[in-house]
Amino acid sequence: MNKITILIYCKDRANIIASVTNFIAKKGGNIVYIDQHVDREQDIFFMRLESEFNDKDFCTDNFKTIFKEGLADKFEMKWRVYSSEKKPKMALFISKYDHCLYDLLGRYNSGELNLEIPFIISNHLDLKTIADNFKIPFYHIPVTKSTKQDAEAQQLALLKANKIDFIVLARYMQIISKTLINEYPNKIINIHHSFLPAFVGAKPYHSAYKRGVKIIGATSHYVTEELDAGPIIEQDVTRVTHTHAISDLITKGRDLEKIVLANAVKLHSERKVLVFNNKTVVFS
Amino acid sequence: MNKITILIYCKDRANIIASVTNFIAKKGGNIVYIDQHVDREQDIFFMRLESEFNDKDFCTDNFKTIFKEGLADKFEMKWRVYSSEKKPKMALFISKYDHCLYDLLGRYNSGELNLEIPFIISNHLDLKTIADNFKIPFYHIPVTKSTKQDAEAQQLALLKANKIDFIVLARYMQIISKTLINEYPNKIINIHHSFLPAFVGAKPYHSAYKRGVKIIGATSHYVTEELDAGPIIEQDVTRVTHTHAISDLITKGRDLEKIVLANAVKLHSERKVLVFNNKTVVFS
Amino acid sequence: MNKITILIYCKDRANIIASVTNFIAKKGGNIVYIDQHVDREQDIFFMRLESEFNDKDFCTDNFKTIFKEGLADKFEMKWRVYSSEKKPKMALFISKYDHCLYDLLGRYNSGELNLEIPFIISNHLDLKTIADNFKIPFYHIPVTKSTKQDAEAQQLALLKANKIDFIVLARYMQIISKTLINEYPNKIINIHHSFLPAFVGAKPYHSAYKRGVKIIGATSHYVTEELDAGPIIEQDVTRVTHTHAISDLITKGRDLEKIVLANAVKLHSERKVLVFNNKTVVFS
Amino acid sequence: MNKITILIYCKDRANIIASVTNFIAKKGGNIVYIDQHVDREQDIFFMRLESEFNDKDFCTDNFKTIFKEGLADKFEMKWRVYSSEKKPKMALFISKYDHCLYDLLGRYNSGELNLEIPFIISNHLDLKTIADNFKIPFYHIPVTKSTKQDAEAQQLALLKANKIDFIVLARYMQIISKTLINEYPNKIINIHHSFLPAFVGAKPYHSAYKRGVKIIGATSHYVTEELDAGPIIEQDVTRVTHTHAISDLITKGRDLEKIVLANAVKLHSERKVLVFNNKTVVFS
């Protein structure tokens, strides 16, 4: 049994759903999941579809060719086809905070995440023991103003050598350069410790405290060149009161950050996210 | 332009999605929405689909016939087809509490609810003024042990005469008899003031207080013969603390009841709910 | 039985709590509630206290005098003393949206709000019927650029004549002038339809849609001269997805606005809110 | 500087607050925190108070004596006095599930929990590596029907030898016997994977799935002889839909269990919980 996931978007027009489902059926596929959305403002059609093929000789690469020629080109679709057999490879970038790291590795260990983590990169050595405990290769690549370019070249080499599909910044605390962003467009996931677009930039818990908000949040988004302005994948919030000092906001926020980032990682690795016009479509 | 909504469930098997979409396309329909779900425990396929037909001569009743003969019978589907032109007719049953009534009528007035309310029935006169203010016919049908059967006969006559599609018990506080339930199976919506299945029956806020829960809830469900045990449509909760007396739980609970009931009414009237095996599938 | 509520803030120093409680006890009061907070950043002490006096001759005005002279001056306190017998008087300012109006009047009618509403002011006639139904005097004071000053003079005259304690802007949609703000400092409650400080100003649902947030919110705050930047009293949020159009955000947001505004009104009218440094302390 | 925390409850009567604060002031203490609650149904007064003493010779044990003789006996108070210098000692009981263990140890490591964990007990060896990684002594005490009494004797010996203050069952999966409960009354914290009182007992996620609830929860409570019926410390919930299989509920529930248990542990270890009549008062 071969199972593939297809993600599509294109200009909306009549009969797309029937055309796609008909095409799959004719190629011998059984559709087991379909979800679609039409953005009426932009007039764009989005779809996610899972299909099973019993044919022993089924080949995902062949399917891509006939899908492109027989259907996608006709509708001028942007599309991606994934085989469920190939787990996505995720690189973890960390720094000194351990809460998101523990959380992701705990989930990884328990089988909750359907992905591979070939390695962890950090600009500090503080969390090496954790990587060791979980038996994941750890690369220490310090970053200073003068070494930033070199550091990034090392990172990029590691990413390429390991055929990394996407990067997760688990409180990495460094600005990602244009070069890396362009190599991994909508494939670098960040966790920002505020309810975006409120409190962009550094020290959002301090700003939240100063403004006296009654709810704090965390936001996971794809990294784009503009700081904290990329497409939002997932957000969550929790209540606070005047009794919470900044340190309390930080502690409470950690629980949000962990869960929001883990959810974003799951959605991305299960190929449930499409990006259009700096916004996400997150399929069910 | 004619727009229809199709709800289907049947034993799961290969090619249902492609067969349905293909059938619609061949009849000239453009599918504008599709959502589906497979219950892997029960092996049941569920689908909701919206389709537009430009054909001037399109007739929903004709479509039902060809849909049944050309497709539904073959897959042994349970199915329903609705024309978007026909707004569902909802009867409101109330008693002495006004919060759900004000809430629903406020939404009705503002155009938020896509339905008609031909009349309101109450076993008391307390809320007649509200019905009058909103200019909705109000029938006072008192219910006592001895008159219960008569009262129900009157209710049924009104429901039939007005071609009512579904009934909403907006804190009606009376047990609905088997007769009425059988006339409107999965078409009588109740709001229960607890987080079911906790605190079934009378005085749930008192029970919640006694148990010392830290969260209270409200549940909207279809009425079945077993008390508070019907398929759950919608639930919501709110935090409480030891400082809340029973009267505070009641006040806080009212806000939950209003919103949960309104959401259930919207979901039902937009034909987004399917019931199978005493559980609901609530489409997006 | 006389019951008073005391609100205090002052520079933090040793023995404030014991001094206050001792003072009350010596004057024959039984303290039935006490809540306090110290802002360690600003080094400010805040307290709310309820006390019962059985003395037949108890007089709140006398108590104020001895409280000031015997205690408050010594600690250089800012303080307020309220008799529980005097319900606060609230003026409602509305425009064309009815959801917050219905919600507040429904709660008022059911006895949920411990306050009086002497009148409603609107710059439009659209909602007069609702005021009439609830039998609350309705003043139509149109506001245009040229008549703004006159309109405000009329408003102020009504507020003064009715001894209004605080004003609630239930989606009033007009900028309040400096004059009125200075007459009612931290006594004008607004509801803003976003999760402040995100989306300040006009059309926040449109901005939220454009940014692609996954959660929307509402914020109730005291009006200050800077737009949407006053002390936050209460906030709440709800989840949204890519499937929600702007109109859906508006509909979902209405439910938030109602509840957030109602909670803020309750907190203020129960004298549970203190403002310091553009932030609120909200007592339990 | 000595800081103590006092927890009190007694029959409600006039002047308790003033008497306690006055007593503390006379003994040279500065009250830095006070929170109180009156249960009007039971007519019981509850209080939590923190006080600082600058006296070099201050002795907590002495204070307890004079507090008892000078105040507590007079009001027939149940009371406890804690020195902030003495961190409570917590024993962790685990079995095969690692998510709560990772979560608690991660927080412990980061300094978020103000307590000591002298050891971990498990009836299985599966999670020994995690204890080793965090460098916490691990005792493997298998439990079978025939060895249950012996196992418990071993547990009790360890608890006594280490002067354990309270026990946390981090998904321990074994029924705790009456003997242990009586040794640690309201000092054994359990996490139950449902929104109690719904779904008491084994396999609550299966029951939740079967009932078709739209929200699942987790509950942390003190262990009493009646299964899952002890005083509730903390609860939280999350939304689910018809698309979630039982395995999804289990995965989503793990996140709830972790956070609810961690919050309960924090509240207990910070001496913020009082139990009366099988309910908790949770101070701010």
Side-chain angles (χ1 to χ4, degrees), chain A residues 23 65 77 104 113 131 187 197 199 213 223 242 253 266:
Chain A
F23 179 88
T65 307
M77 292 173 176
L104 286 172
L113 303 178
K187 289 176 178 173
F199 311 126
V213 292
V223 175
H242 64 272
K266 272 190 261 187

Side-chain angles (χ1 to χ4, degrees), chain C residues 3-284:
Chain C
K3 190 170 175 179
I4 58 167
T5 300
I6 307 177
L7 290 170
I8 293 167
Y9 71 86
C10 59
K11 186 95 183 149
D12 190 32
R13 46 195 264 197
N15 288 317
I16 305 179
I17 295 174
S19 302
V20 175
T21 53
N22 203 24
F23 179 89
I24 303 287
K26 280 192 177 152
K27 300 303 169 196
N30 179 35
I31 298 164
V32 292
Y33 162 94
I34 187 168
D35 192 9
Q36 114 299 338
H37 169 64
V38 178
D39 181 330
R40 307 260 172 219
E41 301 258 319
Q42 311 275 344
D43 210 28
I44 302 290
F45 173 88
F46 300 89
M47 180 185 263
R48 183 177 183 274
L49 186 145
E50 291 176 7
S51 183
E52 294 171 349
F53 291 82
N54 276 310
D55 185 356
K56 267 185 308 185
D57 301 327
F58 180 86
C59 160
T60 305
D61 284 337
N62 281 355
F63 180 83
K64 286 182 187 176
T65 307
I66 57 169
F67 182 78
K68 180 182 185 307
E69 290 170 1
L71 188 78
D73 285 354
K74 188 176 142 204
F75 284 91
E76 297 177 66
M77 291 172 176
K78 304 275 180 184
W79 60 276
R80 304 198 309 258
V81 171
Y82 299 102
S83 163
S84 68
E85 277 171 26
K86 208 177 144 284
K87 288 190 186 184
K89 292 184 182 179
M90 167 176 112
L92 263 177
F93 281 38
I94 59 172
S95 186
K96 292 186 167 185
Y97 293 112
D98 64 4
H99 54 288
C100 286
L101 182 64
Y102 266 127
D103 184 76
L104 285 172
L105 296 185
R107 292 173 198 273
Y108 182 55
N109 242 24
S110 75
E112 189 180 321
L113 303 178
N114 190 36
L115 48 79
E116 285 175 32
I117 306 180
F119 62 85
I120 294 170
I121 285 177
S122 180
N123 56 339
H124 292 286
L125 279 166
D126 306 50
L127 307 182
K128 187 176 185 307
T129 319
I130 301 177
D132 293 348
N133 284 342
F134 283 88
K135 299 187 173 56
I136 298 181
F138 177 94
Y139 295 99
H140 178 219
I141 305 182
V143 178
T144 64
K145 256 191 186 168
S146 59
T147 66
K148 179 143 188 162
Q149 222 167 338
D150 268 13
E152 203 158 274
Q154 284 181 63
Q155 291 171 352
L156 210 48
L158 274 169
L159 294 167
K160 294 293 174 191
N162 286 275
K163 294 185 178 160
I164 291 299
D165 292 297
F166 71 107
I167 300 167
V168 168
L169 311 180
R171 301 295 312 272
Y172 177 54
M173 312 298 285
Q174 296 285 322
I175 305 285
I176 299 298
S177 82
K178 199 171 157 174
T179 317
L180 201 51
I181 293 171
N182 288 340
E183 288 280 342
Y184 290 89
N186 296 323
K187 289 176 178 174
I188 307 177
I189 299 174
N190 186 39
I191 178 73
H192 183 71
H193 38 316
S194 87
F195 183 80
L196 289 176
F199 310 126
V200 164
K203 294 198 175 279
Y205 293 129
H206 290 71
S207 305
Y209 179 83
K210 189 158 184 296
R211 180 64 185 93
V213 293
K214 301 302 184 188
I215 291 175
I216 57 168
T219 304
S220 190
H221 64 94
Y222 290 116
V223 174
T224 55
E225 282 190 56
E226 190 182 341
L227 185 66
D228 299 330
I232 294 171
I233 308 167
E234 172 73 324
Q235 301 189 287
D236 204 358
V237 296
T238 195
R239 290 201 167 269
V240 296
T241 73
H242 64 272
T243 64
H244 293 96
I246 291 173
S247 59
D248 298 318
L249 302 191
I250 291 170
T251 302
K252 280 177 81 78
R254 277 200 295 254
D255 284 347
L256 286 178
E257 295 163 30
K258 286 189 287 192
I259 286 180
V260 169
L261 181 58
N263 282 342
V265 166
K266 272 190 260 186
L267 290 168
H268 182 91
S269 62
E270 293 167 3
R271 289 99 180 205
K272 292 188 170 171
V273 188
L274 263 179
V275 174
F276 179 77
N277 208 17
N278 208 45
K279 291 168 62 172
T280 60
V281 169
V282 178
F283 293 105
S284 64

Side-chain angles (χ1 to χ4, degrees), chain A residues 205-210 213 216 239-253, chain C residues 37-42 279:
Chain A
Y205 292 129
H206 290 71
S207 306
Y209 178 83
K210 188 158 184 296
V213 292
I216 58 168
R239 289 200 167 268
V240 295
T241 73
H242 64 272
T243 65
H244 293 97
I246 292 173
S247 60
D248 298 318
L249 302 191
I250 291 170
T251 301
K252 281 179 81 79
Chain C
H37 169 64
V38 178
D39 181 330
R40 307 260 172 219
E41 301 258 319
Q42 311 275 344
K279 291 168 62 172

Side-chain angles (χ1 to χ4, degrees), chain A residues 13-18 21-22 25 29-36 38 40, chain B residues 13-18 21-22 25 29-36 38 40:
Chain A
R13 46 195 264 197
N15 288 317
I16 304 179
I17 295 174
T21 53
N22 204 25
N30 179 34
I31 298 163
V32 294
Y33 162 93
I34 188 169
D35 192 10
Q36 113 298 339
V38 178
R40 307 260 172 219
Chain B
R13 47 194 265 196
N15 289 317
I16 304 179
I17 296 174
T21 53
N22 203 25
N30 179 35
I31 299 163
V32 293
Y33 162 94
I34 187 168
D35 191 9
Q36 113 299 338
V38 178
R40 305 262 171 218

